[in-house]
Amino acid sequence: MARKAVKLASWTSAALGASGVYFYSNKYLDPSDFGAIRVGRAVATTAVISYDYLTSLRSVPYGSEEYLQLRSEVHLRSARRLCELCCANRGTFIKVGQHLGSLDHVLPVEYTSTLKVLHSQAPQSSMQEIRQVIREDLGKEIHDLFLSFDDTPLGAASLAQVHKAVLRDGRTVAVKVQHPKVQSQSSKDILLMEVLVLAVKQLFPEFEFMWLVDEAKKNLPLELDFLNEGKNAEKVAQMLKHFDFLKIPEIYWELSTKRILLMEFVEGGQVNDKEYMERNKINVNEISRHLGKMYSEMIFVNGFVHCDPHPGNMLVRKHPDTGKAEIVLLDHGLYQVLTDEFRLDYCHLWQSLIWTDMQKVKIYSQRLGAANLYPLFACMLTARSWDSINKGISHVPVTSTEDSEIRTNVTTCLPEISQLLNCVPRQMLLIFKTNDLLRSIEATLGTRASASSFLNMSRCCIRALAEHNKKNTHSFFRRTQISICEAFNLWKIDLHELMLHVKGWKLASWVSSLLCWLVPVPH
């Protein structure tokens, strides 16, 4: 124990020393922006959390009821400390904390439930800072560009905040402005996280979270470039234009820069606001189905996936002209582009899961990097138990007992989960995050995936695989054969769905008849 404490102290000192030397010796990094307090806060929090895990569990028999209770308490204390650190250091720390909070089936519930509050506790920049960014990027003052500009932001996120404004030509717009210090601090924050993750791994070899740092390194520069976000918005709007239930706000390029994004102003309630939907007579199940269709199309057919679908980035409303329910998709900074090989393997895997072909589940899980951990991989992907997967996820409904079992397994299998996340392709990490965010919305709305939603996924998989096969053949006969096979498979799904509806109608009829027999109508 003493050796581990000395090791912890030495790695803490090394982290501080290495960070200090790097920052002061690198001409591209300004140490005054980073600050000893900021570094010290992160190092101290990491040291306290590590010491808590090292000392609190050492004298309790592993696996006992007391051990499990104590471990849960340590998880909760540590999650609160981590949350406080993210709130204090802001910017990149909040962004990474939000990512961790979305990994419901990867991290213990104590962490995810605690870190979820970061979505509503993002920092706000002052109006003085907002004016400064607009002046630097657009070369004019706010009053020269806008008739009106609301001082109070509509919402604040880890990297930026959004204000409502009216242009000189009368158009009402949403103005997304980046927090002024985020750009300069992000690279330094990631370096610090990398040093600390490596230090913790020395103490806890099973701690495999370098994948998180690698993802932040790759994705943050993209999210900090608002011109890239605008291009993503236009690309996905074109890609999904056949969905009349989807609204992507128009981008106004004339006043957009890398740190400022001007877009059409669209109002609505958050996608997890059930009361708003009830007040506005928006069907919750219809919205849930639309979400499933939209993301199945992105993942399986197009391989271009919006990877930050938390409730603040998805609004619902009734179209002002038609009165139909719409989903408004916001924040297009983070998209995952899937390679064809990955996308097609993923299609095959979901087809195998939906139709309970366990041999192919193993084959395609292993092709996606799961190796011998393929049962765990399938459970993480579907958020179902291995027993339910074997019985058929489209046939066996989710129960509270199964949910509880999954939560317990997340805690006990954390080393294996970390190992798996280090092995799978980087593309899979954002898919996991996206899946968990969508499931969190479904759980809030009370619309867990049904047989119908799995059939919609299967339709997208069939179309994607057929399209790929047609692209790779020059034979007219072969293309015709593929098209006929595709149509037949889609027809089989339609027939299967019809049978499910018929069974549902029969069941409803039987229940109604039984109730009439048990409770006769009084004369």
Side-chain angles (χ1 to χ4, degrees), residues 428-455:
M428 183 56 74
L429 299 177
L430 284 178
I431 294 291
F432 274 132
K433 175 193 173 186
T434 303
N435 285 349
D436 279 335
L437 283 169
L438 290 171
R439 285 193 195 107
S440 176
I441 291 169
E442 284 179 345
T444 305
L445 296 178
T447 57
R448 285 294 290 268
S450 63
S452 183
S453 63
F454 284 126
L455 293 175

Side-chain angles (χ1 to χ4, degrees), residues 217-503:
K217 270 185 189 176
K218 184 185 79 174
N219 295 324
L220 259 175
L222 296 174
E223 292 190 77
L224 289 170
D225 182 356
F226 289 176
L227 294 177
N228 175 66
E229 178 176 343
K231 289 172 187 171
N232 286 342
E234 290 191 339
K235 181 175 177 177
V236 81
Q238 179 64 25
M239 193 174 82
L240 302 180
K241 63 183 179 182
H242 55 287
F243 287 147
D244 60 358
F245 59 78
L246 178 62
K247 171 70 178 173
I248 309 286
E250 183 184 350
I251 304 297
Y252 301 133
W253 291 107
E254 64 271 21
L255 292 176
S256 293
T257 69
K258 279 198 167 190
R259 295 194 297 169
I260 299 169
L261 189 65
L262 212 71
M263 67 200 101
E264 175 188 3
F265 177 75
V266 183
E267 287 185 288
Q270 288 196 359
V271 74
N272 64 343
D273 189 343
K274 215 170 176 179
E275 288 183 8
Y276 173 89
M277 291 192 223
E278 287 169 359
R279 281 198 312 272
N280 290 275
K281 294 182 172 56
I282 295 172
N283 188 308
V284 172
N285 290 306
E286 183 184 14
I287 292 296
S288 189
R289 282 195 302 273
H290 288 340
L291 279 176
K293 283 181 183 178
M294 186 171 80
Y295 269 88
S296 290
E297 192 84 10
M298 284 190 211
I299 293 170
F300 300 117
V301 178
N302 296 287
F304 188 66
V305 190
H306 182 289
C307 284
D308 203 11
H310 69 76
N313 288 340
M314 288 195 288
L315 307 180
V316 291
R317 68 167 190 170
K318 281 204 167 177
H319 191 284
D321 298 327
T322 65
K324 288 184 177 180
E326 274 189 334
I327 294 172
V328 182
L329 190 59
L330 306 172
D331 196 347
H332 301 272
L334 184 57
Y335 272 76
Q336 179 67 67
V337 179
L338 307 180
T339 64
D340 281 348
E341 182 184 5
F342 177 93
R343 181 173 60 87
L344 296 170
D345 283 343
Y346 196 61
C347 280
H348 282 298
L349 175 57
W350 267 106
Q351 283 284 74
S352 307
L353 287 164
I354 290 166
W355 301 108
T356 326
D357 186 337
M358 301 313 294
Q359 185 57 36
K360 285 187 178 177
V361 166
K362 179 179 179 180
I363 291 169
Y364 286 105
S365 294
Q366 291 180 335
R367 280 178 64 102
L368 289 166
N372 292 329
L373 293 173
Y374 71 90
L376 175 62
F377 180 68
C379 292
M380 288 169 62
L381 202 56
T382 58
R384 301 296 302 270
S385 67
W386 184 239
D387 184 51
S388 292
I389 290 170
N390 276 281
K391 289 177 181 175
I393 55 173
S394 58
H395 305 299
V396 180
V398 183
T399 63
S400 56
T401 306
E402 184 182 359
D403 268 342
S404 177
E405 179 191 337
I406 290 168
R407 288 287 185 191
T408 304
N409 289 341
V410 166
T411 305
T412 56
C413 297
L414 194 54
E416 289 82 5
I417 290 172
S418 297
Q419 180 189 341
L420 180 62
L421 292 174
N422 268 322
C423 294
V424 297
R426 300 297 91 183
Q427 299 165 83
M428 183 56 74
L429 299 177
L430 284 178
I431 294 291
F432 274 132
K433 175 193 173 186
T434 303
N435 285 349
D436 279 335
L437 283 169
L438 290 171
R439 285 193 195 107
S440 176
I441 291 169
E442 284 179 345
T444 305
L445 296 178
T447 57
R448 285 294 290 268
S450 63
S452 183
S453 63
F454 284 126
L455 293 175
N456 279 326
M457 288 174 69
S458 191
R459 285 186 182 98
C460 284
C461 291
I462 288 167
R463 284 171 45 220
L465 292 168
E467 188 62 31
H468 174 76
N469 290 334
K470 281 188 274 190
K471 276 182 184 176
N472 285 278
T473 182
H474 299 292
S475 163
F476 175 77
F477 175 74
R478 177 65 184 138
R479 287 171 66 86
T480 305
Q481 190 182 32
I482 292 166
S483 296
I484 292 170
C485 187
E486 176 190 7
F488 178 68
N489 286 329
L490 291 172
W491 175 79
K492 280 200 302 184
I493 290 177
D494 291 341
L495 184 62
H496 183 71
E497 190 168 35
L498 178 63
M499 294 303 294
L500 289 175
H501 286 312
V502 169
K503 283 180 183 176

